[in-house]
Amino acid sequence: HPSLSGIDVRYRYDPGTHIPFRDGSFTYINLQDFVEHVADIAALLEEVHRVAADRALVTVRFPHYSSPGAHNDITHRKFLGCRSFDHFDPNTKYGSTYGYFNQSKPPIPFRIESGALDCLGVRPGFLARLLFRLAKKSKMMEHYLGVLLPLRNVSLNLVVDKSTRDQRDLVR
């Protein structure tokens, strides 16, 4: 909403609940150090997709599954890697093949615009983006990087794609 421009809204999400904002309310949503605590990430992203405007930026950061930080926090419910969100991007192998969404509903597409893989001692930037690209090459490459390097966090920039969802709604 234009009158809320620049307002920082914080909301505590409870699984399976409706986020109390109108459709298309936000142009930027930050899910930093959050998704690993949620049991049903697909349900969360469905709500994020609903309250986000078309082409909204959604930033996501979570500990890489090989990071000690992923396993030391007993509130973590998911262990995620560089390809975990590919299921929500129809332009990726996993997204086009499996499409991680409830089959009775239209998909919840996002486009993965960029990603970075933090490593202890590596500042965000070119090297973190390069590590992310290397890890996305294959499951084995991601595994080897996790064994060889002290990986910490995966950071993603997702762009909401409502045009794909709207087209599929028309077909149903």
Side-chain angles (χ1 to χ4, degrees), residues 89-111:
D89 185 341
N91 300 312
T92 65
K93 177 182 174 186
Y94 291 146
S96 64
T97 305
Y98 304 110
Y100 197 100
F101 51 86
N102 184 336
Q103 295 296 326
S104 66
K105 297 179 182 178
I108 45 176
F110 293 85
R111 180 175 44 83

Side-chain angles (χ1 to χ4, degrees), residues 2-171:
S3 66
L4 295 178
S5 181
I7 302 292
D8 182 14
V9 177
R10 296 172 191 264
Y11 174 72
R12 183 183 175 118
Y13 175 77
D14 290 318
T17 61
H18 179 80
I19 298 174
F21 296 101
R22 285 184 269 159
D23 295 4
S25 295
F26 298 98
T27 57
Y28 174 73
I29 297 173
N30 182 3
L31 301 175
Q32 183 172 323
D33 300 326
F34 176 70
V35 296
E36 67 273 15
H37 298 275
V38 176
D40 189 349
I41 294 173
L44 167 67
L45 288 182
E46 187 169 352
E47 275 297 288
V48 166
H49 194 277
R50 183 186 65 75
V51 299
D54 189 30
R55 294 191 225 60
L57 177 63
V58 178
T59 58
V60 182
R61 187 180 86 172
F62 51 87
H64 187 265
Y65 65 79
S66 69
S67 167
H71 300 277
N72 291 339
D73 186 338
I74 62 170
T75 64
H76 287 182
R77 302 183 81 169
K78 301 286 183 190
F79 300 100
L80 306 163
C82 293
R83 282 183 296 295
S84 295
F85 283 76
D86 284 8
H87 294 278
F88 300 99
D89 185 341
N91 300 312
T92 65
K93 177 182 174 186
Y94 291 146
S96 64
T97 305
Y98 304 110
Y100 197 100
F101 51 86
N102 184 336
Q103 295 296 326
S104 66
K105 297 179 182 178
I108 45 176
F110 293 85
R111 180 175 44 83
I112 299 172
E113 184 174 84
S114 63
L117 188 52
D118 300 344
C119 177
L120 190 63
V122 174
R123 297 167 69 115
F126 173 76
L127 189 53
R129 291 189 303 274
L130 178 63
L131 286 172
F132 178 78
R133 283 190 219 118
L134 285 172
K136 293 247 328 187
K137 293 283 183 196
S138 72
K139 291 181 208 175
M140 290 307 296
M141 179 65 78
E142 183 173 6
H143 172 73
Y144 288 135
L145 285 172
V147 170
L148 296 172
L149 300 172
L151 301 179
R152 292 182 18 188
N153 295 306
V154 176
S155 299
L156 300 172
N157 288 321
L158 310 176
V159 176
V160 173
D161 180 3
K162 295 216 173 183
S163 63
T164 304
R165 185 176 183 136
D166 294 341
Q167 290 169 2
R168 292 197 178 142
D169 282 343
L170 294 174
V171 173

